[in-house]
Amino acid sequence: MATFIYGKVKRKHNIFRVIETEEEVYSTSQLNLVGVDYNPNTLIENEELYKVSQFSQSGFSFDFINNDLNSVNHDQITRNDLTKLSFICTVQNNLYFFQIINSSFFISKKWFSIDELRIETEKPIITVNPFADAIYDKNSDILYFKKLPAAQKIFKGMDQLYKEATALETDSFLQNDFLEVDTNFSNRNVSVPNRKRIALVMETLNNLSDTEKQTVYSYTSQYSQVEFQNGKFKIETDEDLKFVLWGIEQRFYTTPIGGEKRIANSIISI
């Protein structure tokens, strides 16, 4: 079955047909598409993937993968537009391999082929990565990726999966009754990682009953290095805030052997 490579050109809405070939661009026989549901609290290993299920319904998808694909509905890309690609998509069967294109993928140097020993000039090439930035399985309607910043360059809006609290949201969080914030500490002192944690924690707190909240605060006070008096955590630094946010995320635990207190760097629900 033919393999097609399509390309998205900057500042153009259409996706163009680039190449049709009978060769496999990606080796699907060695491809193991097993992903972990995306969660910013989960850190994956090098060989692992994140996934977003029912991707066509996520709001981040677009017509190219939502509709039935027919190459005749896509115009052939022009030579001039090849230098303006923002990403390419290799389609093999029902797998869509997306690769971001930037200047590092364009090679325009003198070179010679091992098969044909002659110098070539004025023949720039575009390199294809051995592993794509994102893979969409149309059969299962699942998008797989390793890094969210790369995936969201292709699928706009995916950064909302890991949004950062606004200044207003940060201020609102710092005004919570369980926090006693130093007068010299404001939203301007809150780091980007903590703003992202606040965005997650606000949702967590909204889903907890008052009793559950008190349980979480008590649990946090047992582990965190932040002073806790009269039901309030004293926040003087961004580090203090980080420990409280970790506690609300229930990242602290004690080892069953040795009783060592630890912080979970990554969380996967089981």
Side-chain angles (χ1 to χ4, degrees):
M1 184 175 290
T3 295
F4 289 90
I5 298 180
Y6 297 87
K8 172 69 173 61
V9 177
K10 296 173 183 175
R11 293 184 291 277
K12 291 188 178 182
H13 295 295
N14 296 344
I15 291 183
F16 295 89
R17 187 173 66 252
V18 180
I19 297 173
E20 176 183 358
T21 176
E22 295 301 320
E23 295 183 23
E24 269 197 342
V25 177
Y26 292 95
S27 176
T28 56
S29 62
Q30 302 298 319
L31 191 62
N32 184 24
L33 288 180
V34 177
V36 176
D37 286 327
Y38 181 76
N39 185 318
N41 287 328
T42 301
L43 302 179
I44 58 175
E45 302 294 335
N46 287 336
E47 67 276 8
E48 293 179 319
L49 294 167
Y50 290 118
K51 71 176 181 179
V52 176
S53 301
Q54 297 181 313
F55 187 70
S56 63
Q57 309 301 315
S58 67
F60 311 127
S61 185
F62 46 76
D63 289 345
F64 178 69
I65 59 177
N66 290 345
N67 299 336
D68 291 336
L69 185 59
N70 190 334
S71 62
V72 300
N73 294 330
H74 296 269
D75 294 332
Q76 179 66 37
I77 196 168
T78 65
R79 185 180 182 87
N80 186 51
D81 277 345
L82 281 169
T83 62
K84 304 173 186 176
L85 287 168
S86 58
F87 67 78
I88 58 174
C89 177
T90 302
V91 181
Q92 293 179 201
N93 296 322
N94 282 305
L95 293 175
Y96 293 58
F97 298 84
F98 290 90
Q99 176 184 311
I100 297 165
I101 298 293
N102 54 47
S103 58
S104 66
F105 292 98
F106 289 94
I107 299 177
S108 184
K109 299 178 180 179
K110 290 184 178 179
W111 56 276
F112 64 87
S113 167
I114 294 175
D115 295 327
E116 299 179 17
L117 296 178
R118 66 170 183 268
I119 293 292
E120 296 283 3
T121 58
E122 301 302 326
K123 288 188 177 182
I125 63 173
I126 298 174
T127 56
V128 178
N129 275 345
F131 198 90
D133 293 305
I135 303 172
Y136 176 67
D137 185 340
K138 194 173 181 67
N139 286 337
S140 62
D141 194 19
I142 297 175
L143 182 78
Y144 299 89
F145 58 94
K146 283 185 175 293
K147 298 179 180 178
L148 182 61
Q152 77 100 18
K153 288 182 180 179
I154 300 166
F155 303 100
K156 303 303 181 185
M158 279 190 68
D159 54 332
Q160 293 301 307
L161 292 172
Y162 192 179
K163 69 176 185 176
E164 177 183 329
T166 64
L168 186 63
E169 289 171 332
T170 303
D171 272 334
S172 177
F173 180 80
L174 293 176
Q175 291 169 14
N176 272 293
D177 292 339
F178 64 89
L179 299 178
E180 182 183 333
V181 181
D182 188 272
T183 54
N184 294 320
F185 189 85
S186 70
N187 71 66
R188 293 188 296 273
N189 304 112
V190 180
S191 64
V192 170
N194 273 347
R195 284 178 183 268
K196 292 178 177 179
R197 293 186 184 105
I198 286 172
L200 294 170
V201 162
M202 288 192 303
E203 183 178 351
T204 299
L205 289 175
N206 287 336
N207 292 324
L208 296 179
S209 67
D210 290 342
T211 300
E212 289 171 331
K213 288 178 183 178
Q214 294 305 317
T215 300
V216 167
Y217 302 153
S218 176
Y219 152 83
T220 302
S221 68
Q222 295 173 34
Y223 284 91
S224 93
Q225 304 170 5
V226 182
E227 183 180 338
F228 183 67
Q229 288 186 346
N230 301 319
K232 294 178 181 287
F233 294 97
K234 190 171 184 179
I235 306 299
E236 295 181 333
T237 66
D238 192 54
E239 189 74 4
D240 292 339
L241 181 60
K242 180 177 69 174
F243 270 92
V244 173
L245 294 170
W246 274 343
I248 296 173
E249 292 174 350
Q250 300 178 64
R251 285 181 174 237
F252 301 118
Y253 68 100
T254 302
T255 59
I257 298 176
E260 183 181 4
K261 292 183 177 181
R262 294 180 178 177
I263 300 169
N265 191 41
S266 179
I267 300 170
I268 299 178
S269 296
I270 56 174

